[in-house]
Amino acid sequence: MPHTAAGHGAALRGPPSNPRSTHLARLSAEWAGDRQVFAGASWRKAMMWIFLLSDTFVFGCFLIGYMTVRLSTPVPWPNPSQVFAIEIAGKPWPLLLIAIMTFVLISSSGTMAMAVALGYRRSRRITALLMGLTALLGATFVGMQAFEWTKLIHEGVRPWGNPWGAEQFGSAFFMITGFHGTHVTIGVIALLVMGRKVWRGDFDTGRRGYFTSRPGGYENVEIMGLYWHFVDLVWVFIFALFYLW
């Protein structure tokens, strides 16, 4: 049978793509926080991964120490539903504030992931707005955490004691949540700085400065996303071990 040019072209093109698969692949790419992993990663991205690995060990030591102290102390540990309840209309609502804080921080991971995806598409203004929204959600989280600290201090919680039970509760709470809150605060500041650079078009024009040394450097947005997703993931463990246990 003769091999026609049309048949040859069809063979090169292959079978038609599945629109459903293409849509799913595009949706997956939208929510992907890390686009390259280590394949061809720059030194900045590799250094961020190394930093996050070292920070994982630090948070891991804190949480393991917390679990060890809680399991070994003979004094009853404070009940989280009582300690972290807020009063609304004269009625206590256990863990309501913590649930809102967690929702806000997890939502910020979604906006950050979309900022990374749109940054690689050079949607400069939308990327900057999403980074600003992520920073706003992070600042909201820190503000609610400050309210939580103020409430507990007013009720008598101190690093050396508290009115509900084991004395180690106060030191563990302030150390772990304070260390995490510091990470979120640093991330909010970095997001505002990076978002301003994206808005001005620094990564397109090659304008030099902090985090900007060459044009097309939208990988910096992804590196910022790696840090932010890490902070959110750590909070999931803190939430599970500190507030639900």
Side-chain angles (χ1 to χ4, degrees):
M1 180 180 294
H3 189 74
T4 64
H8 182 67
L12 289 177
R13 286 192 299 269
S17 59
N18 188 341
R20 181 180 177 85
S21 301
T22 304
H23 178 71
L24 292 176
R26 186 180 300 123
L27 182 63
S28 175
E30 289 284 350
W31 289 87
D34 185 14
R35 304 292 295 273
Q36 297 176 345
V37 193
F38 282 108
S42 66
W43 67 269
R44 287 171 298 183
K45 191 173 182 181
M47 290 302 102
M48 176 55 74
W49 274 112
I50 293 173
F51 167 76
L52 296 181
L53 180 61
S54 64
D55 224 20
T56 299
F57 289 129
V58 175
F59 275 108
C61 289
F62 283 169
L63 293 175
I64 291 173
Y66 164 75
M67 290 187 290
T68 302
V69 168
R70 179 165 179 175
L71 291 173
S72 61
T73 179
V75 182
W77 200 260
N79 183 1
S81 297
Q82 175 189 359
V83 175
F84 301 110
I86 59 174
E87 189 172 317
I88 301 177
K91 180 182 179 181
W93 293 79
L95 301 178
L96 176 62
L97 179 64
I98 311 304
I100 297 174
M101 290 169 59
T102 303
F103 175 78
V104 167
L105 197 61
I106 297 302
S107 298
S108 71
S109 257
T111 57
M112 188 69 238
M114 288 189 288
V116 172
L118 290 170
Y120 276 111
R121 296 181 186 178
R122 299 296 194 272
S123 299
R124 179 164 55 89
R125 294 299 174 92
I126 301 178
T127 299
L129 290 174
L130 285 170
M131 295 180 74
L133 179 57
T134 303
L136 177 62
L137 292 172
T140 302
F141 174 87
V142 174
M144 289 189 291
Q145 192 172 64
F147 172 81
E148 178 190 35
W149 275 41
T150 303
K151 171 182 174 294
L152 293 180
I153 292 173
H154 179 72
E155 292 173 349
V157 179
R158 300 291 186 273
W160 52 85
N162 69 89
W164 295 295
E167 295 182 350
Q168 299 94 329
F169 170 81
S171 58
F173 170 78
F174 288 123
M175 179 184 67
I176 294 176
T177 61
F179 191 60
H180 178 265
T182 301
H183 278 68
V184 177
T185 303
I186 293 172
V188 168
I189 296 172
L191 278 169
L192 293 175
V193 173
M194 191 78 68
R196 180 170 179 265
K197 291 180 175 296
V198 173
W199 182 269
R200 293 190 310 183
D202 289 5
F203 295 125
D204 297 313
T205 62
R207 180 174 179 175
R208 292 183 175 273
Y210 293 112
F211 308 112
T212 308
S213 59
R214 59 186 177 84
Y218 282 94
E219 185 189 49
N220 293 290
V221 179
E222 181 182 359
I223 293 172
M224 184 69 244
L226 292 176
Y227 175 87
W228 195 257
H229 294 315
F230 170 79
V231 169
D232 291 357
L233 179 61
V234 169
W235 176 253
V236 172
F237 287 95
I238 295 175
F239 175 76
L241 294 177
F242 224 106
Y243 297 99
L244 298 182
W245 183 16

